[in-house]
Amino acid sequence: MTVIKFPNTPANQMSDTAKLAHEMEKEKQAAEIFLNWRLNQDDWETYYPSERDLELVAMFGEVMRLIPIVSIRLNSKLAEFICKLKTQYEPMEKKHD
């Protein structure tokens, strides 16, 4: 059994798994800060999530610390993204006259 001393272990003594976990945590925190800032702006509707933002929300959304209005607006942006994907990949239904 491997015991990981985290975060007191110097970086050069961390296992590769611990280094990766540390980097992912830093990236998640940066995304939290950015999303809390960007989706709390008056022009939040003009923001389009990057692919990496979407990946991080998919991986860590459940534990991200987002303020309530940001969570609501993020849900709106995710729904918008899904609708755009749907129209791109599904043929439009033909209208019957």
Side-chain angles (χ1 to χ4, degrees):
M1 180 169 146
T2 303
V3 176
I4 299 172
K5 292 182 181 180
F6 188 81
N8 297 328
T9 303
N12 64 350
Q13 294 178 3
M14 280 190 208
S15 69
D16 289 342
T17 303
K19 288 177 187 175
L20 178 61
H22 184 68
E23 288 303 313
M24 293 298 294
E25 179 62 23
K26 285 178 16 182
E27 193 172 7
K28 177 191 73 87
Q29 289 174 354
E32 285 174 349
I33 291 167
F34 174 74
L35 291 171
N36 275 315
W37 171 78
R38 185 62 187 96
L39 292 173
N40 201 25
Q41 301 297 310
D42 290 338
D43 67 342
W44 70 273
E45 292 174 327
T46 63
Y47 167 67
Y48 295 100
S50 70
E51 184 176 341
R52 189 60 182 155
D53 288 341
L54 294 175
E55 289 172 350
L56 290 167
V57 169
M59 289 187 289
F60 303 114
E62 193 173 321
V63 295
M64 284 183 156
R65 294 181 183 140
L66 301 174
I67 59 176
I69 191 67
V70 167
S71 294
I72 292 166
R73 291 175 175 176
L74 181 58
N75 283 338
S76 176
K77 285 295 178 180
L78 293 173
E80 181 182 313
F81 179 78
I82 291 167
C83 288
K84 285 181 182 179
L85 279 179
K86 185 177 178 181
T87 59
Q88 285 179 345
Y89 293 107
E90 290 183 3
M92 304 241 342
E93 292 182 19
K94 294 183 180 181
K95 293 184 180 180
H96 297 285
D97 294 331

